[in-house]
Amino acid sequence: MINKEDRNAMRKGRHLRVRNKISGTAAKPRLNVFRSSCHIYAQLVDDTAGVTLVSASTLSADIKKELEGKSKQEAAKIVGRTIGKKALASGIEQVVFDRGGYIYMGRVEQLADGAREAGLKF
């Protein structure tokens, strides 16, 4: 059985492999996802300037009230919708999706679906 540290090290290796191939620009930033056991975080990153343009997470004050009594997958969808709305308000319509080495299912998929519902194009 693979322990938790080895599993995370393998995820980080997958993430680095993907990061060698994709990068975000000001016109088409990278939508980065980080998933912990309790929370999910998303941010739009311009890698050329090295800045975070927009961010949202389950710990954000504006989202926290909406998450009362919701499952983790429902919370991820809400975070996706929120980051999509913030991105559109900032004038960003297209992004490159960076799943952070995680499998594209569950909370990561729900976050992506929520961002698409808000109007972001991957």
Side-chain angles (χ1 to χ4, degrees), residues 2 33 61 66 73 79 105:
I2 300 172
V33 176
E66 230 180 304
Q73 287 198 7
V79 170
M105 64 178 287

Side-chain angles (χ1 to χ4, degrees), residues 63-88:
I63 300 176
K64 228 172 188 178
K65 293 175 186 168
E66 230 180 304
L67 300 178
E68 300 272 330
K70 304 272 192 209
S71 69
K72 290 181 192 177
Q73 287 198 7
E74 292 168 333
K77 193 159 204 160
I78 292 169
V79 170
R81 274 193 226 121
T82 304
I83 198 153
K85 289 175 188 171
K86 285 182 177 181
L88 291 175

